[in-house]
Amino acid sequence: MYKSFFGFQQAPFDKGIDSSMLFQSEAYKEVLARLDYLKTTRGFGLITGDPGVGKTSTLRVFADSLNPSLYKVMYFPMSSGTTMDFYRGLAFSLGEQPKFRKVELFFQIQNAITDLYDKRRITPVFILDEMQSASAQFLHDLSIIFNFDMDKRNPFILILTGLPTLANRLALNQNRSLDQRLVTRFHFSPLTPDEVRDYIKHRFKHAGVSRNLINENAYEAISSSTGGYPRLVGNLVTQCLILAFQKQTDLIDEEIVFAASADAGI
């Protein structure tokens, strides 16, 4: 359809894009620098941001950069299952047959982490997503599970990620012990108007089209309509391409952007 009309080799905003081809915004580069620091120090890290800002894709880049012979990456979204399901999944991902009692699970997880780090020289990396929905008890439990030798060392990397409300929850008195153990923290901001333009051109280029398909006013309209959130930018520009194909025009202007915004509900 629109792909052949414009000459794309693939859909420019396909979610399956290789992590090495992601657009490197200032926020992207900064969070990777923070994560690289966390890789050196180990311990807890926090990444927050609104939906569609690029948190998960950036974490995927970080995970892909880790040597699998030195790091074992485990990803858990808190939205899947109960808290006990998470504990059991954690033990299972560490190669253990999960115990049934909570206290036994905690010891089992700690022993498995210690075994990986001390005996096999592998650092376990836990990425806990959608953590804004975690219970207060679970946040408290994290301080217990990941406390080694009376908090003398960190044989792990644990990244908490979620919506901005997660940082607010960690700032509460009952979560102060966990908040104080954060080695690094970062809040993802949306793309700037200039980055929106560069992001679109970047995705077009990797999809096989280098010529300009969007005029300047249309770029401004896209940035304004989406607030700079990459997921919304991708959705809107895709709708623009479809409308432009239907009109048989190879240049997207602001009128097409406004029509596409209405169709996409943006």
PDB file of all heavy atoms in Angstrom, residues 76-99:
ATOM      1  N   PHE A  76      10.577  -8.440  34.116  1.00  0.00           N
ATOM      2  CA  PHE A  76       9.297  -8.763  34.747  1.00  0.00           C
ATOM      3  C   PHE A  76       8.388  -7.541  34.741  1.00  0.00           C
ATOM      4  O   PHE A  76       8.720  -6.520  35.339  1.00  0.00           O
ATOM      5  CB  PHE A  76       9.482  -9.198  36.201  1.00  0.00           C
ATOM      6  CG  PHE A  76      10.309 -10.431  36.387  1.00  0.00           C
ATOM      7  CD1 PHE A  76      11.685 -10.327  36.584  1.00  0.00           C
ATOM      8  CD2 PHE A  76       9.731 -11.685  36.367  1.00  0.00           C
ATOM      9  CE1 PHE A  76      12.456 -11.459  36.757  1.00  0.00           C
ATOM     10  CE2 PHE A  76      10.495 -12.821  36.534  1.00  0.00           C
ATOM     11  CZ  PHE A  76      11.866 -12.710  36.726  1.00  0.00           C
ATOM     12  N   PRO A  77       7.235  -7.604  34.079  1.00  0.00           N
ATOM     13  CA  PRO A  77       6.242  -6.522  34.204  1.00  0.00           C
ATOM     14  C   PRO A  77       5.340  -6.802  35.408  1.00  0.00           C
ATOM     15  O   PRO A  77       4.805  -7.902  35.553  1.00  0.00           O
ATOM     16  CB  PRO A  77       5.467  -6.608  32.892  1.00  0.00           C
ATOM     17  CG  PRO A  77       5.576  -8.047  32.472  1.00  0.00           C
ATOM     18  CD  PRO A  77       6.872  -8.576  33.036  1.00  0.00           C
ATOM     19  N   MET A  78       5.186  -5.828  36.274  1.00  0.00           N
ATOM     20  CA  MET A  78       4.387  -6.032  37.474  1.00  0.00           C
ATOM     21  C   MET A  78       2.910  -6.235  37.171  1.00  0.00           C
ATOM     22  O   MET A  78       2.148  -6.680  38.020  1.00  0.00           O
ATOM     23  CB  MET A  78       4.536  -4.826  38.402  1.00  0.00           C
ATOM     24  CG  MET A  78       5.655  -4.942  39.415  1.00  0.00           C
ATOM     25  SD  MET A  78       5.628  -6.455  40.397  1.00  0.00           S
ATOM     26  CE  MET A  78       4.104  -6.248  41.289  1.00  0.00           C
ATOM     27  N   SER A  79       2.494  -5.911  35.940  1.00  0.00           N
ATOM     28  CA  SER A  79       1.073  -6.037  35.598  1.00  0.00           C
ATOM     29  C   SER A  79       0.655  -7.488  35.379  1.00  0.00           C
ATOM     30  O   SER A  79      -0.525  -7.780  35.228  1.00  0.00           O
ATOM     31  CB  SER A  79       0.778  -5.227  34.327  1.00  0.00           C
ATOM     32  OG  SER A  79       1.619  -5.638  33.265  1.00  0.00           O
ATOM     33  N   SER A  80       1.618  -8.396  35.337  1.00  0.00           N
ATOM     34  CA  SER A  80       1.283  -9.799  35.057  1.00  0.00           C
ATOM     35  C   SER A  80       1.301 -10.623  36.341  1.00  0.00           C
ATOM     36  O   SER A  80       2.352 -10.888  36.900  1.00  0.00           O
ATOM     37  CB  SER A  80       2.270 -10.390  34.038  1.00  0.00           C
ATOM     38  OG  SER A  80       3.591 -10.290  34.510  1.00  0.00           O
ATOM     39  N   GLY A  81       0.106 -10.999  36.815  1.00  0.00           N
ATOM     40  CA  GLY A  81       0.005 -11.888  37.962  1.00  0.00           C
ATOM     41  C   GLY A  81       0.070 -11.180  39.305  1.00  0.00           C
ATOM     42  O   GLY A  81       0.143  -9.955  39.405  1.00  0.00           O
ATOM     43  N   THR A  82       0.088 -11.988  40.358  1.00  0.00           N
ATOM     44  CA  THR A  82       0.128 -11.478  41.723  1.00  0.00           C
ATOM     45  C   THR A  82       1.571 -11.274  42.175  1.00  0.00           C
ATOM     46  O   THR A  82       2.518 -11.643  41.484  1.00  0.00           O
ATOM     47  CB  THR A  82      -0.552 -12.467  42.678  1.00  0.00           C
ATOM     48  OG1 THR A  82       0.225 -13.678  42.716  1.00  0.00           O
ATOM     49  CG2 THR A  82      -1.964 -12.799  42.200  1.00  0.00           C
ATOM     50  N   THR A  83       1.712 -10.691  43.375  1.00  0.00           N
ATOM     51  CA  THR A  83       3.050 -10.483  43.925  1.00  0.00           C
ATOM     52  C   THR A  83       3.762 -11.807  44.145  1.00  0.00           C
ATOM     53  O   THR A  83       4.959 -11.950  43.851  1.00  0.00           O
ATOM     54  CB  THR A  83       2.951  -9.712  45.256  1.00  0.00           C
ATOM     55  OG1 THR A  83       2.319  -8.451  45.021  1.00  0.00           O
ATOM     56  CG2 THR A  83       4.325  -9.479  45.845  1.00  0.00           C
ATOM     57  N   MET A  84       3.055 -12.813  44.659  1.00  0.00           N
ATOM     58  CA  MET A  84       3.668 -14.127  44.860  1.00  0.00           C
ATOM     59  C   MET A  84       4.052 -14.762  43.522  1.00  0.00           C
ATOM     60  O   MET A  84       5.056 -15.470  43.431  1.00  0.00           O
ATOM     61  CB  MET A  84       2.714 -15.038  45.641  1.00  0.00           C
ATOM     62  CG  MET A  84       2.641 -14.721  47.119  1.00  0.00           C
ATOM     63  SD  MET A  84       4.251 -14.835  47.959  1.00  0.00           S
ATOM     64  CE  MET A  84       4.553 -16.610  47.870  1.00  0.00           C
ATOM     65  N   ASP A  85       3.249 -14.508  42.476  1.00  0.00           N
ATOM     66  CA  ASP A  85       3.622 -14.991  41.145  1.00  0.00           C
ATOM     67  C   ASP A  85       4.965 -14.398  40.730  1.00  0.00           C
ATOM     68  O   ASP A  85       5.798 -15.070  40.120  1.00  0.00           O
ATOM     69  CB  ASP A  85       2.558 -14.611  40.107  1.00  0.00           C
ATOM     70  CG  ASP A  85       1.283 -15.411  40.244  1.00  0.00           C
ATOM     71  OD1 ASP A  85       1.346 -16.545  40.773  1.00  0.00           O
ATOM     72  OD2 ASP A  85       0.218 -14.918  39.824  1.00  0.00           O
ATOM     73  N   PHE A  86       5.153 -13.126  41.073  1.00  0.00           N
ATOM     74  CA  PHE A  86       6.418 -12.484  40.736  1.00  0.00           C
ATOM     75  C   PHE A  86       7.580 -13.150  41.472  1.00  0.00           C
ATOM     76  O   PHE A  86       8.615 -13.443  40.875  1.00  0.00           O
ATOM     77  CB  PHE A  86       6.374 -10.998  41.079  1.00  0.00           C
ATOM     78  CG  PHE A  86       7.726 -10.349  41.037  1.00  0.00           C
ATOM     79  CD1 PHE A  86       8.286  -9.969  39.836  1.00  0.00           C
ATOM     80  CD2 PHE A  86       8.444 -10.160  42.207  1.00  0.00           C
ATOM     81  CE1 PHE A  86       9.551  -9.403  39.798  1.00  0.00           C
ATOM     82  CE2 PHE A  86       9.703  -9.583  42.171  1.00  0.00           C
ATOM     83  CZ  PHE A  86      10.258  -9.200  40.966  1.00  0.00           C
ATOM     84  N   TYR A  87       7.407 -13.379  42.785  1.00  0.00           N
ATOM     85  CA  TYR A  87       8.485 -14.011  43.554  1.00  0.00           C
ATOM     86  C   TYR A  87       8.825 -15.384  42.978  1.00  0.00           C
ATOM     87  O   TYR A  87      10.007 -15.738  42.834  1.00  0.00           O
ATOM     88  CB  TYR A  87       8.076 -14.171  45.024  1.00  0.00           C
ATOM     89  CG  TYR A  87       7.841 -12.875  45.764  1.00  0.00           C
ATOM     90  CD1 TYR A  87       6.800 -12.765  46.681  1.00  0.00           C
ATOM     91  CD2 TYR A  87       8.640 -11.768  45.540  1.00  0.00           C
ATOM     92  CE1 TYR A  87       6.573 -11.580  47.366  1.00  0.00           C
ATOM     93  CE2 TYR A  87       8.415 -10.577  46.217  1.00  0.00           C
ATOM     94  CZ  TYR A  87       7.385 -10.492  47.129  1.00  0.00           C
ATOM     95  OH  TYR A  87       7.161  -9.318  47.805  1.00  0.00           O
ATOM     96  N   ARG A  88       7.796 -16.142  42.642  1.00  0.00           N
ATOM     97  CA  ARG A  88       8.041 -17.478  42.076  1.00  0.00           C
ATOM     98  C   ARG A  88       8.711 -17.369  40.701  1.00  0.00           C
ATOM     99  O   ARG A  88       9.606 -18.158  40.372  1.00  0.00           O
ATOM    100  CB  ARG A  88       6.726 -18.259  41.971  1.00  0.00           C
ATOM    101  CG  ARG A  88       6.094 -18.590  43.329  1.00  0.00           C
ATOM    102  CD  ARG A  88       4.907 -19.529  43.186  1.00  0.00           C
ATOM    103  NE  ARG A  88       4.292 -19.801  44.471  1.00  0.00           N
ATOM    104  CZ  ARG A  88       3.208 -19.184  44.938  1.00  0.00           C
ATOM    105  NH1 ARG A  88       2.598 -18.265  44.188  1.00  0.00           N
ATOM    106  NH2 ARG A  88       2.712 -19.482  46.121  1.00  0.00           N
ATOM    107  N   GLY A  89       8.260 -16.388  39.905  1.00  0.00           N
ATOM    108  CA  GLY A  89       8.884 -16.187  38.601  1.00  0.00           C
ATOM    109  C   GLY A  89      10.335 -15.781  38.730  1.00  0.00           C
ATOM    110  O   GLY A  89      11.189 -16.197  37.922  1.00  0.00           O
ATOM    111  N   LEU A  90      10.632 -14.999  39.740  1.00  0.00           N
ATOM    112  CA  LEU A  90      11.999 -14.576  40.002  1.00  0.00           C
ATOM    113  C   LEU A  90      12.879 -15.788  40.334  1.00  0.00           C
ATOM    114  O   LEU A  90      13.980 -15.944  39.790  1.00  0.00           O
ATOM    115  CB  LEU A  90      12.011 -13.590  41.167  1.00  0.00           C
ATOM    116  CG  LEU A  90      13.270 -12.750  41.390  1.00  0.00           C
ATOM    117  CD1 LEU A  90      13.614 -11.934  40.166  1.00  0.00           C
ATOM    118  CD2 LEU A  90      13.074 -11.842  42.595  1.00  0.00           C
ATOM    119  N   ALA A  91      12.385 -16.648  41.212  1.00  0.00           N
ATOM    120  CA  ALA A  91      13.138 -17.850  41.571  1.00  0.00           C
ATOM    121  C   ALA A  91      13.311 -18.767  40.358  1.00  0.00           C
ATOM    122  O   ALA A  91      14.406 -19.302  40.117  1.00  0.00           O
ATOM    123  CB  ALA A  91      12.423 -18.597  42.699  1.00  0.00           C
ATOM    124  N   PHE A  92      12.247 -18.913  39.588  1.00  0.00           N
ATOM    125  CA  PHE A  92      12.297 -19.804  38.423  1.00  0.00           C
ATOM    126  C   PHE A  92      13.293 -19.288  37.391  1.00  0.00           C
ATOM    127  O   PHE A  92      14.052 -20.063  36.785  1.00  0.00           O
ATOM    128  CB  PHE A  92      10.905 -19.920  37.800  1.00  0.00           C
ATOM    129  CG  PHE A  92      10.819 -20.915  36.680  1.00  0.00           C
ATOM    130  CD1 PHE A  92      10.733 -22.276  36.941  1.00  0.00           C
ATOM    131  CD2 PHE A  92      10.831 -20.488  35.357  1.00  0.00           C
ATOM    132  CE1 PHE A  92      10.663 -23.198  35.910  1.00  0.00           C
ATOM    133  CE2 PHE A  92      10.756 -21.396  34.315  1.00  0.00           C
ATOM    134  CZ  PHE A  92      10.680 -22.764  34.598  1.00  0.00           C
ATOM    135  N   SER A  93      13.311 -17.975  37.159  1.00  0.00           N
ATOM    136  CA  SER A  93      14.235 -17.400  36.179  1.00  0.00           C
ATOM    137  C   SER A  93      15.691 -17.541  36.615  1.00  0.00           C
ATOM    138  O   SER A  93      16.602 -17.521  35.783  1.00  0.00           O
ATOM    139  CB  SER A  93      13.915 -15.926  35.945  1.00  0.00           C
ATOM    140  OG  SER A  93      14.184 -15.169  37.106  1.00  0.00           O
ATOM    141  N   LEU A  94      15.887 -17.697  37.923  1.00  0.00           N
ATOM    142  CA  LEU A  94      17.233 -17.912  38.451  1.00  0.00           C
ATOM    143  C   LEU A  94      17.624 -19.387  38.443  1.00  0.00           C
ATOM    144  O   LEU A  94      18.688 -19.758  38.937  1.00  0.00           O
ATOM    145  CB  LEU A  94      17.328 -17.359  39.876  1.00  0.00           C
ATOM    146  CG  LEU A  94      17.324 -15.830  39.986  1.00  0.00           C
ATOM    147  CD1 LEU A  94      17.024 -15.384  41.408  1.00  0.00           C
ATOM    148  CD2 LEU A  94      18.662 -15.265  39.518  1.00  0.00           C
ATOM    149  N   GLY A  95      16.761 -20.221  37.879  1.00  0.00           N
ATOM    150  CA  GLY A  95      17.061 -21.646  37.757  1.00  0.00           C
ATOM    151  C   GLY A  95      16.636 -22.478  38.939  1.00  0.00           C
ATOM    152  O   GLY A  95      17.072 -23.629  39.085  1.00  0.00           O
ATOM    153  N   GLU A  96      15.753 -21.923  39.780  1.00  0.00           N
ATOM    154  CA  GLU A  96      15.321 -22.620  40.984  1.00  0.00           C
ATOM    155  C   GLU A  96      13.892 -23.142  40.824  1.00  0.00           C
ATOM    156  O   GLU A  96      13.099 -22.600  40.060  1.00  0.00           O
ATOM    157  CB  GLU A  96      15.358 -21.661  42.189  1.00  0.00           C
ATOM    158  CG  GLU A  96      16.723 -21.077  42.476  1.00  0.00           C
ATOM    159  CD  GLU A  96      17.694 -22.110  42.984  1.00  0.00           C
ATOM    160  OE1 GLU A  96      17.287 -22.971  43.789  1.00  0.00           O
ATOM    161  OE2 GLU A  96      18.874 -22.074  42.563  1.00  0.00           O
ATOM    162  N   GLN A  97      13.578 -24.197  41.588  1.00  0.00           N
ATOM    163  CA  GLN A  97      12.199 -24.663  41.691  1.00  0.00           C
ATOM    164  C   GLN A  97      11.574 -23.909  42.854  1.00  0.00           C
ATOM    165  O   GLN A  97      11.947 -24.128  44.014  1.00  0.00           O
ATOM    166  CB  GLN A  97      12.158 -26.175  41.958  1.00  0.00           C
ATOM    167  CG  GLN A  97      10.765 -26.782  41.993  1.00  0.00           C
ATOM    168  CD  GLN A  97      10.012 -26.619  40.671  1.00  0.00           C
ATOM    169  OE1 GLN A  97      10.602 -26.771  39.611  1.00  0.00           O
ATOM    170  NE2 GLN A  97       8.739 -26.286  40.737  1.00  0.00           N
ATOM    171  N   PRO A  98      10.654 -22.991  42.596  1.00  0.00           N
ATOM    172  CA  PRO A  98      10.180 -22.074  43.645  1.00  0.00           C
ATOM    173  C   PRO A  98       9.589 -22.783  44.863  1.00  0.00           C
ATOM    174  O   PRO A  98       8.840 -23.751  44.744  1.00  0.00           O
ATOM    175  CB  PRO A  98       9.098 -21.251  42.922  1.00  0.00           C
ATOM    176  CG  PRO A  98       9.436 -21.357  41.469  1.00  0.00           C
ATOM    177  CD  PRO A  98      10.013 -22.732  41.295  1.00  0.00           C
ATOM    178  N   LYS A  99       9.972 -22.265  46.040  1.00  0.00           N
ATOM    179  CA  LYS A  99       9.387 -22.729  47.290  1.00  0.00           C
ATOM    180  C   LYS A  99       7.970 -22.156  47.418  1.00  0.00           C
ATOM    181  O   LYS A  99       7.572 -21.261  46.673  1.00  0.00           O
ATOM    182  CB  LYS A  99      10.237 -22.263  48.473  1.00  0.00           C
ATOM    183  CG  LYS A  99      11.690 -22.729  48.428  1.00  0.00           C
ATOM    184  CD  LYS A  99      11.821 -24.215  48.693  1.00  0.00           C
ATOM    185  CE  LYS A  99      13.290 -24.608  48.804  1.00  0.00           C
ATOM    186  NZ  LYS A  99      13.457 -26.064  49.048  1.00  0.00           N
TER     187      LYS A  99
END
